[in-house]
């Protein structure tokens, strides 16, 4: 596999730092960090270029907060300047390289390969009723906090040979345990950490129906024992190659009777429903803090599923016409 070099100078160029600043501020122009940066914008960009050139850049201190939907997670936050600009500057150059390593079954954080793409692909696959009779569903135990820094650095060195860029990536990786949720770079690091696993699933195990959204994995087959064998192989691979563990709540089950709970929906061969927790949150929002923006957001989820009765029951259809 050919490795890429001569990338760091592209990352730290004044032009790329300006572009990164433009991208990082989208939707955030009123935030304090952006406003403070804008007081000395040109000087800050020049100073950041110099810091990176001389390897004087160091990741700032994180602030953290907890979110509780869909489950409790600790989210990390960095200052706008210099850190968010640095992350965007790196991804301006590295995004094509990362995306080139992903399989067509990898979703999340990839342009054109988000929830909508995963939804359409799984829906289409379920048309093969015989070939998708059974489902193996699993996720990885504490995936983001459990990513092994040494393994991630080794994987990056399979694709990148630019020592200066590797220095900057190593510094960012070492700045927090595992992969910190909330970092712009983290979503790409997470997908990259599992991309060789994806290739192993598709190319070595020859799995036809495979879907991964972050660390949430769905595999379909016409053979239940085959899926149990795949599960055992996955456990070994994740443990031995990536120092990860499969959560104990994995399931192998008939699709027709259980449905596949994935990316916010419940998929069956004949129909698709909204996930129960999303329906409850929709109803709760309507009862407590109804507003057009929130209704439109939930309707965006609902319109792809078989939810006419739900919408009628919640009496919101007329409100968003």
């Amino acid at each position: 596999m050919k490795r890429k070099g001569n990338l760091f100078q592209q990352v730290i160029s004044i032009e790329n730092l300006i572009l990164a600043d433009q991208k990082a501020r989208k939707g955030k122009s009123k935030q304090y960090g952006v406003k403070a940066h804008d007081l000395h914008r040109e000087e800050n960009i020049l100073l950041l270029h110099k810091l990176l050139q001389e390897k004087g850049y160091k990741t700032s201190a994180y602030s953290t907060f907890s979110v509780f939907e869909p489950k409790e997670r600790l989210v990390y936050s960095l200052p706008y300047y210099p850190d968010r600009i640095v992350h965007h500057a790196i991804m301006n150059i590295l995004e094509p390289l990362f995306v080139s390593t992903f399989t067509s079954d990898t979703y999340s954080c990839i342009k054109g390969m988000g929830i909508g793409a995963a939804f359409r692909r799984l829906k289409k696959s379920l048309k093969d009723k015989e070939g998708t009779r059974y489902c193996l569903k699993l996720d990885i135990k504490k995936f983001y906090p459990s990513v092994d820094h040494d393994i991630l650095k080794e994987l990056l060195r399979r694709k990148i040979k630019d020592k200066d860029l590797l220095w900057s990536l190593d510094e960012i990786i070492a700045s927090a345990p595992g992969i910190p949720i909330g970092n712009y770079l983290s979503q790409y690091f997470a997908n990259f950490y599992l991309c060789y696993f994806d290739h192993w699933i598709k190319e070595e195990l020859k799995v036809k129906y495979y879907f991964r959204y972050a660390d949430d994995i769905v595999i379909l087959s016409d053979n239940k024992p085959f899926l149990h064998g795949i599960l055992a192989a996955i456990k070994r691979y994740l443990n031995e190659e990536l120092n990860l563990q499969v959560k104990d709540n994995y399931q192998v089950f008939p699709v027709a009777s259980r449905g596949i709970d994935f990316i916010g929906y419940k998929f069956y061969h004949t129909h698709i429903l909204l996930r129960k927790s999303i329906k409850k949150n929709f109803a709760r929002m309507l009862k407590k803090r109804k507003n057009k923006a929130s209704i439109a957001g939930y309707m965006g989820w609902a319109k792809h599923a078989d939810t006419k009765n739900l919408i009628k029951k919640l009496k919101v259809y007329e409100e968003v016409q």
Side-chain angles (χ1 to χ4, degrees), residues 65-77:
F65 59 93
S66 294
V67 297
F68 299 92
E69 290 291 343
K71 57 185 177 182
E72 184 176 1
R73 293 178 182 270
L74 185 65
V75 178
Y76 290 73
S77 179

Side-chain angles (χ1 to χ4, degrees), residues 201-219:
I201 288 281
K202 296 295 293 184
E203 296 157 19
E204 298 294 326
L205 299 188
K206 307 295 184 183
V207 172
K208 182 177 182 180
Y209 296 120
Y210 170 71
F211 310 85
R212 179 174 67 78
Y213 191 92
D215 64 325
D216 198 4
I217 296 169
V218 165
I219 297 175

Side-chain angles (χ1 to χ4, degrees), residues 132-194:
T132 60
R133 290 175 60 198
Y134 298 101
C135 174
L136 164 61
K137 188 173 185 301
L138 62 95
D139 60 355
I140 298 168
K141 185 176 181 180
K142 296 182 179 178
F143 172 54
Y144 278 80
S146 298
V147 166
D148 187 302
H149 286 182
D150 290 335
I151 294 174
L152 176 56
K153 291 175 183 178
E154 180 184 339
L155 293 174
L156 287 168
R157 281 158 174 79
R158 293 187 188 180
K159 292 292 293 182
I160 301 168
K161 63 180 179 182
D162 187 316
K163 292 181 179 179
D164 292 329
L165 180 56
L166 289 168
W167 161 80
S168 65
L169 295 175
D170 288 353
E171 198 285 327
I172 292 169
I173 290 167
S175 66
I179 295 177
I181 297 172
N183 268 6
Y184 180 53
L185 266 171
S186 292
Q187 52 190 340
Y188 289 92
F189 280 157
N191 260 341
F192 183 71
Y193 196 75
L194 292 174

Side-chain angles (χ1 to χ4, degrees), residues 21-54:
D21 185 15
Q22 293 169 350
K23 289 185 175 182
R25 68 177 53 234
K26 286 184 179 179
K28 302 177 178 67
S29 60
K30 295 182 180 180
Q31 290 184 359
Y32 170 79
V34 179
K35 290 182 177 180
H37 164 61
D38 283 347
L39 294 175
H40 307 283
R41 191 175 180 183
E42 291 184 8
E43 298 94 319
N44 284 344
I45 294 297
L46 291 172
L47 176 59
L48 181 54
H49 169 75
K50 184 178 180 182
L51 280 172
L52 290 165
Q53 183 76 59
E54 298 177 354

Side-chain angles (χ1 to χ4, degrees), residues 205-258:
L205 299 188
K206 307 295 184 183
V207 172
K208 182 177 182 180
Y209 296 120
Y210 170 71
F211 310 85
R212 179 174 67 78
Y213 191 92
D215 64 325
D216 198 4
I217 296 169
V218 165
I219 297 175
L220 304 174
S221 174
D222 61 350
N223 188 302
K224 199 171 182 179
F226 170 78
L227 291 178
H228 281 288
I230 291 291
L231 173 61
I234 286 174
K235 286 181 175 181
R236 286 194 300 272
Y237 183 101
L238 291 177
N239 179 250
E240 295 172 5
E241 301 293 330
L242 298 175
N243 197 22
L244 296 172
Q245 305 292 325
V246 172
K247 263 189 186 177
D248 290 335
N249 63 351
Y250 59 82
Q251 304 169 23
V252 177
F253 56 89
V255 173
S257 60
R258 296 270 304 272

